[in-house]
Amino acid sequence: MIKVIALLKRRPGMSMEEFKRIWIEEHVQLSAQMPGLRGYRVNIALPTQQDDVPAPDYDGTAELWWDSREEMDASFKTEIAKTAGLDADRFSSVRQHLLTEEFVVVSGPASSPKPIVR
Amino acid sequence: MIKVIALLKRRPGMSMEEFKRIWIEEHVQLSAQMPGLRGYRVNIALPTQQDDVPAPDYDGTAELWWDSREEMDASFKTEIAKTAGLDADRFSSVRQHLLTEEFVVVSGPASSPKPIVR
């Protein structure tokens, strides 16, 4: 299993509401079609952050899982991935990926009972 | 539910192997004791990243869930949280927190059958 952490910054001048709306209501309908995708979560920054810990310079992150590095590489090379990448330009000006190995320390919370796509 | 995304950079001169060992084998035994913690996952950067997407300047990230902002705030004020914070200085030189709202787009993969702590 491989887990991609994506870090996104919204386009200059875009409100957080618009950033969230496009990503959650529109973009995921494309990106969730990437072949082999085993899980996909999006995390949108809250308006108020902690005041005693530095906040990173991102407005949202995502987690995407594939069964293997090979499955992930093949998935990113498909037309739907390219289309989703172009679509992400509508709401984000910075996108970075960190490929990781995941360790579950405390299990839960369970997946949402009603995932947005499947 | 609130989800904290933590972004960490290892101490200068520390190997990725040591960073991973201290975090996964030692540190989580402390940090997983934070009151009200509903879920905790750690993601360690793989040695080889994508070559066509910028990689962020972090060596690992974590996700931590609480039932509410109030539960999270109270948890970070406890002695065990302070102890865990000091312990994290042993392996990380940068720690940033992003407080987020989570959206599950594609459910799964299920939690690991054997979480490290509980």
Side-chain angles (χ1 to χ4, degrees):
Chain A
M1 185 73 68
I2 189 168
K3 180 178 181 182
V4 179
I5 310 287
L7 304 175
L8 274 72
K9 193 169 167 58
R10 69 187 190 277
R11 289 182 72 90
M14 176 175 278
S15 71
M16 280 301 295
E17 290 69 25
E18 187 70 353
F19 173 73
K20 173 179 169 179
R21 188 189 65 76
I22 298 178
W23 195 352
I24 301 295
E25 296 182 16
E26 299 178 359
H27 177 72
V28 299
Q29 301 295 335
L30 278 174
S31 46
Q33 294 181 47
M34 287 180 70
L37 193 60
R38 288 282 306 274
Y40 180 18
R41 296 182 183 208
V42 174
N43 313 291
I44 303 289
L46 295 174
T48 308
Q49 296 290 317
Q50 285 170 310
D51 51 15
D52 54 348
V53 179
D57 197 24
Y58 301 102
D59 297 310
T61 80
E63 296 123 30
L64 302 97
W65 290 259
W66 280 268
D67 279 335
S68 68
R69 173 71 183 251
E70 293 68 32
E71 292 257 349
M72 184 206 78
D73 284 339
S75 191
F76 272 111
K77 285 178 185 154
T78 58
E79 279 306 309
I80 187 70
K82 289 171 192 165
T83 303
L86 289 173
D87 184 70
D89 290 337
R90 285 198 298 137
F91 61 98
S92 60
S93 59
V94 172
R95 289 194 301 281
Q96 300 182 321
H97 286 176
L98 187 67
L99 276 48
T100 70
E101 179 182 7
E102 179 186 68
F103 298 86
V104 176
V105 180
V106 175
S107 59
S111 210
S112 138
K114 288 190 181 179
I116 295 171
V117 173
R118 68 172 189 264
Chain B
M1 186 72 67
I2 189 167
K3 180 178 181 182
V4 179
I5 311 287
L7 303 175
L8 273 71
K9 192 169 170 56
R10 69 187 189 278
R11 290 182 72 90
M14 176 174 277
S15 71
M16 280 301 296
E17 290 69 25
E18 186 69 353
F19 174 74
K20 174 179 168 178
R21 188 190 66 75
I22 298 178
W23 195 352
I24 301 295
E25 296 181 17
E26 299 177 0
H27 177 72
V28 299
Q29 302 296 335
L30 278 175
S31 46
Q33 293 181 46
M34 287 181 71
L37 193 60
R38 288 283 305 275
Y40 179 19
R41 296 182 183 208
V42 174
N43 312 292
I44 303 288
L46 296 174
T48 309
Q49 296 289 318
Q50 285 171 310
D51 51 14
D52 55 347
V53 179
D57 196 23
Y58 301 101
D59 297 309
T61 79
E63 295 123 30
L64 302 98
W65 289 260
W66 280 267
D67 280 335
S68 67
R69 173 72 184 251
E70 292 68 31
E71 292 257 349
M72 185 207 78
D73 284 339
S75 191
F76 272 111
K77 285 178 185 154
T78 58
E79 279 306 310
I80 187 70
K82 289 171 193 165
T83 301
L86 289 173
D87 185 71
D89 290 337
R90 285 198 297 138
F91 60 97
S92 60
S93 60
V94 172
R95 288 194 302 280
Q96 300 182 322
H97 286 175
L98 187 67
L99 276 49
T100 70
E101 178 181 9
E102 178 186 68
F103 298 86
V104 176
V105 180
V106 175
S107 59
S111 210
S112 140
K114 288 190 182 179
I116 295 172
V117 173
R118 67 172 192 264

